[in-house]
């Protein structure tokens, strides 16, 4: 018996040791026939978590920003309803024999990940403390009793005990029509009504207390107390209490159950501020076909559209694999597998993200050269890592990357056979060539980023969908072959000759703007930008319709210029002659005046002589 206990303790300790060794670095084991040191294992472990956390935070932030406009629209819809602040709302409500329920139809499309978006919407709505939200799923809502019980529990944030189907509700509706001694089941709407009245009275009582405290305080109060009172008052003055029901999957709900819910809450709409949010995956026609006119007439409908899953995938691919130069990249096989899985199986964004995570995990768990991943080759960090690499690492570099290493050797063996010999025998030469290759890959990704954006701008010039491909499809083509040599890009280049001159000029100017905005691409594409500037200068020689100015037109323009110059000279000469004529006229006037004066003097002398003769 004692021997048996010792054996159990011995083997149990051995199993614990093995388990501890396996979970020591989250499953990262020494590679290269267990010759890898603990330092390299820690590097792979740290890089995996660093890179994946960076990718995950980037994707989460991107999805949040993509759905932000839709969530804000739904939030504004909820806040604008059932306030009764304007006279028009009161008049409209009084004109109808019944009160319509404000209803927002959220068109999410075929999206298995709608829960992520609905969670974002609920958190946004709950940011106002007077908004109370209940989320309904078809799998939980079996019948009307169960559905009402779920609604009451979520709105009141209080669980109804299943053991006691009868619950005392006198504390909630003391002033309601039901007597205090009566008890209601846990699915009775009177529970919700009594709770809402109790909540409304409590909020009004707190408001009066806050107003009394603010009036009683003197001018010399502390700033801390003022901040507390402001926060409390903002919670109650942010709006009336509203009850929001969110139905996630409309197509899976029982139609009769929805009709009963709409009719029940329409009856209580004067006492309970109910707002419906219904998620629809198909279209508005299915919604109208599912519900009868009697139920649709009780709804005041507004429509909202969420971002589709394929649009979200396009943005994820651009931000994670194209915009970031030195981060993790997928190869052709894993990327095509994830893309096919998304297109043909589930259309799930979360599944695509999990596939990226598995790819990152597999790369760092199984590849000893993953320590070279996601490093800027122009930084001094690459030199430190290359110096620390062992001979076994370099041998693995020749084996794991056998295809690319073989192609590289075959491409240079005719030009420099000595370099091939050094690559196979000298470790330092191999390290320097690895660094040069990483720098070349770094520069290639910078150029590719600009080229990819230019291609997207080129596709915008065409209206036909035949000349447009999505970002995920273009990235797949770039992994399969050279993007410039692909049939799609060559077709766009040929068809661009038929596009009007102003749109081509605007496209080239947009290309220049994209290059100027990218600081990393400026030195690499300097010569290309000089060619582009020359093309734009040549466009200045074109007329408004984009046609070249011919020689005859140039001669006509030159003749016109000569005629204008001759006319200007003639005008100048005429002005000079006019000046001379004016001067001569002035001289003649002076001479005539002198002559007139002399004649006048002679006449006077003659008159004097005649007088003397008479005397």
């Amino acid at each position: 018996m004692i021997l048996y206990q010792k054996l159990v303790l011995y083997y149990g300790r051995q199993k614990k040791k093995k388990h501890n060794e396996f979970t020591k670095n989250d499953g990262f084991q020494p590679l290269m026939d267990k010759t890898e040191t603990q330092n390299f294992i820690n590097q792979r472990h740290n890089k995996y978590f660093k890179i994946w956390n960076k990718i995950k935070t980037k994707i989460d932030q991107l999805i949040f920003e993509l759905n932000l406009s839709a969530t804000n629209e739904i939030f504004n819809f909820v806040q604008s309803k059932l306030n009764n602040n304007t006279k028009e709302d009161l008049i409209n409500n009084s004109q109808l024999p019944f009160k319509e329920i404000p209803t927002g139809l959220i068109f999410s499309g075929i999206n298995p990940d709608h829960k992520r978006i609905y969670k974002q919407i609920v958190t946004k709505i709950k940011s106002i403390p007077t908004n109370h939200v209940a989320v309904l799923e078809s799998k939980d809502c079996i019948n009307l009793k169960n559905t009402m019980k779920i609604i009451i529990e979520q709105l009141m944030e209080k669980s109804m005990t299943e053991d006691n189907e009868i619950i005392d509700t006198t504390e909630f509706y003391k002033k309601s029509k039901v007597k205090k001694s009566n008890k209601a089941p846990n699915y009775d709407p009177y529970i919700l009504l009594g709770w809402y009245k109790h909540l409304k009275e409590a909020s009004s009582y707190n408001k009066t207390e806050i107003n009394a405290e603010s009036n009683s305080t003197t001018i010399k109060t502390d700033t801390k107390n003022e901040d507390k009172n402001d926060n409390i008052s903002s919670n109650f003055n942010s709006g009336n209490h509203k009850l929001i029901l969110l139905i996630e999957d409309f197509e899976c709900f029982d139609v009769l159950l929805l009709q009963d819910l709409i009719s029940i809450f329409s009856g209580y709409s004067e006492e309970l501020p109910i707002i419906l949010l219904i998620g629809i995956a198909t279209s508005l026609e299915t919604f109208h076909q599912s519900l009868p006119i009697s139920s649709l007439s009780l709804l005041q409908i507004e429509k909202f559209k969420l971002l589709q899953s394929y649009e979200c995938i396009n943005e994820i691919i651009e931000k994670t694999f194209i915009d970031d130069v030195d981060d993790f990249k997928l190869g052709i096989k894993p990327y095509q597998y994830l893309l096919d899985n998304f297109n043909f199986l589930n259309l799930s964004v979360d599944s695509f993200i999990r596939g990226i995570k598995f790819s990152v995990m597999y790369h760092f768990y199984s590849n000893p050269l993953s320590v070279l991943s996601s490093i800027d080759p122009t930084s001094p960090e690459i030199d430190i890592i290359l110096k620390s690499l062992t001979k076994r690492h370099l041998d693995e570099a020749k084996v794991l990357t056998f295809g690319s290493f073989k192609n590289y050797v075959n491409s240079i063996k005719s030009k420099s056979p000595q370099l091939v010999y050094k690559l196979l025998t000298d470790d330092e030469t191999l390290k320097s060539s690895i660094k040069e290759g990483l720098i070349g890959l770094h520069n290639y990704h910078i150029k590719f980023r600009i080229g990819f954006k230019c291609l997207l701008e080129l596709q915008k010039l065409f209206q036909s969908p035949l000349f447009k491909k999505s970002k995920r499809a273009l990235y797949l083509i770039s992994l399969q072959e050279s993007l410039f040599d692909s049939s799609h890009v060559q077709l766009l280049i040929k068809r661009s000759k038929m596009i009007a001159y102003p749109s081509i000029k605007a496209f080239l100017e947009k290309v220049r703007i994209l290059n100027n905005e990218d600081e990393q691409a400026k030195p690499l594409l300097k010569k290309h930008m000089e060619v582009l500037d020359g093309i734009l200068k040549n466009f200045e020689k074109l007329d408004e319709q984009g046609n070249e100015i011919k020689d005859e037109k140039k001669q006509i323009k030159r003749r016109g210029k000569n005629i204008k110059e001759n006319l200007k000279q003639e005008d100048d000469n005429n002005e000079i002659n006019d000046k001379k004529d004016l001067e001569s006229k002035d001289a003649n006037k002076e001479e005539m005046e002198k002559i007139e004066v002399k004649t006048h003097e002679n006449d006077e002398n003659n008159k004097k002589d005649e007088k003397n003769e008479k005397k």
Side-chain angles (χ1 to χ4, degrees), residues 326-562:
D326 298 317
D327 278 352
F328 184 80
K329 310 289 180 184
L330 284 176
I332 175 63
K333 289 184 179 180
Y335 177 74
Q336 190 167 13
Y337 173 78
L338 293 178
L339 200 61
D340 292 341
N341 190 26
F342 172 79
N343 289 329
F344 304 118
L345 291 181
N346 50 22
L347 293 174
S348 173
V349 178
D350 288 339
S351 177
F352 189 84
I353 295 170
R354 287 193 295 269
I356 296 173
K357 181 179 181 180
F358 179 79
S359 302
V360 176
M361 181 177 65
Y362 180 78
H363 175 69
F364 284 97
Y365 268 74
S366 62
N367 192 348
L369 298 175
S370 59
V371 293
L372 297 170
S373 301
S374 303
I375 300 174
D376 186 2
T378 59
S379 64
E381 184 182 359
I382 188 67
D383 295 327
I384 298 171
I385 294 175
L386 286 173
K387 286 181 182 178
S388 63
L389 292 179
T390 61
K391 185 173 178 58
R392 184 63 186 271
H393 280 97
L394 299 175
D395 293 336
E396 290 290 331
K398 297 173 186 177
V399 174
L400 291 175
T401 61
F402 179 74
S404 59
F405 183 75
K406 183 180 178 181
N407 294 332
Y408 176 67
V409 168
N410 290 331
S411 64
I412 63 172
K413 67 180 181 181
S414 60
K415 296 180 181 179
S416 55
Q418 294 180 355
L419 180 60
V420 175
Y421 178 76
K422 288 182 179 180
L423 286 173
L424 296 173
T425 56
D426 189 12
D427 294 340
E428 297 298 326
T429 305
L430 182 59
K431 290 180 181 179
S432 63
S433 64
I434 289 172
K435 183 178 179 180
E436 291 175 0
L438 291 174
I439 292 171
L441 186 63
H442 172 81
N443 295 333
Y444 169 77
H445 279 300
I446 293 172
K447 296 177 183 178
F448 175 77
R449 179 173 60 192
I450 294 294
F452 193 85
K453 292 180 180 179
C454 293
L455 180 57
L456 295 176
E457 293 295 329
L458 181 61
Q459 287 189 147
K460 292 179 182 178
L461 299 177
F462 302 93
Q463 296 180 355
S464 176
L466 298 174
F467 302 104
K468 294 182 180 180
K469 286 186 179 294
S470 62
K471 295 176 183 178
R472 61 185 186 276
L474 290 175
Y475 189 67
L476 179 63
I477 293 171
S478 67
L479 293 175
Q480 291 173 344
E481 57 180 335
S482 174
L483 196 59
F484 178 77
D485 296 331
S486 63
S487 60
H488 176 68
V489 177
Q490 292 298 321
L491 180 62
L492 293 178
I493 293 171
K494 289 179 182 178
R495 291 286 182 177
S496 62
K497 297 177 182 178
M498 302 171 64
I499 296 174
Y501 157 72
S503 56
I504 289 291
K505 186 178 179 181
F507 163 70
L508 294 177
E509 289 175 352
K510 181 65 176 178
V511 170
R512 183 166 59 181
I513 292 169
L514 289 173
N515 180 73
N516 293 331
E517 289 176 352
D518 197 334
E519 296 294 333
Q520 291 180 322
K522 278 184 180 180
L524 297 175
L525 300 174
K526 187 176 181 181
K527 294 182 179 179
H528 298 82
M529 288 301 107
E530 291 176 356
V531 175
L532 181 60
D533 292 335
I535 293 171
L536 291 173
K537 286 181 180 178
N538 292 329
F539 279 172
E540 296 176 359
K541 300 177 182 179
L542 303 178
D543 58 9
E544 294 179 355
Q545 296 179 355
N547 298 321
E548 292 184 358
I549 300 172
K550 296 182 180 179
D551 295 335
E552 295 179 358
K553 292 183 179 180
K554 290 180 181 178
Q555 290 177 3
I556 292 167
K557 285 190 173 183
R558 287 176 185 173
R559 289 174 186 173
K561 288 181 180 178
N562 294 328

Side-chain angles (χ1 to χ4, degrees), residues 243-374:
L243 311 180
I244 299 100
L245 303 182
L246 175 59
I247 298 173
E248 291 188 352
D249 43 357
F250 167 77
E251 287 80 5
C252 299
F253 260 84
D254 185 8
V255 178
L256 298 175
L257 176 60
L258 288 174
Q259 292 179 24
D260 294 338
L261 285 176
I262 291 170
S263 62
I264 288 169
F265 286 116
S266 177
Y268 286 92
S269 58
E270 293 182 357
E271 299 173 338
L272 293 175
I274 298 290
I275 298 175
L276 291 179
L277 297 176
I278 302 174
I280 300 174
T282 52
S283 63
L284 185 63
E285 294 178 356
T286 57
F287 181 75
H288 284 291
Q289 291 173 1
S290 300
L291 294 176
I293 298 174
S294 59
S295 297
L296 292 172
S297 61
L298 301 174
L299 304 177
Q300 184 183 358
I301 295 174
E302 289 191 23
K303 293 176 284 187
F304 304 97
K305 188 176 181 181
L306 299 179
L307 192 71
Q308 300 298 317
S309 58
Y310 58 85
E311 296 175 355
C312 189
I313 287 292
N314 288 334
E315 296 300 323
I316 289 173
I317 289 169
E318 184 179 7
K319 295 297 181 184
T320 54
F321 300 138
I322 297 172
D323 288 350
D324 291 332
V325 177
D326 298 317
D327 278 352
F328 184 80
K329 310 289 180 184
L330 284 176
I332 175 63
K333 289 184 179 180
Y335 177 74
Q336 190 167 13
Y337 173 78
L338 293 178
L339 200 61
D340 292 341
N341 190 26
F342 172 79
N343 289 329
F344 304 118
L345 291 181
N346 50 22
L347 293 174
S348 173
V349 178
D350 288 339
S351 177
F352 189 84
I353 295 170
R354 287 193 295 269
I356 296 173
K357 181 179 181 180
F358 179 79
S359 302
V360 176
M361 181 177 65
Y362 180 78
H363 175 69
F364 284 97
Y365 268 74
S366 62
N367 192 348
L369 298 175
S370 59
V371 293
L372 297 170
S373 301
S374 303

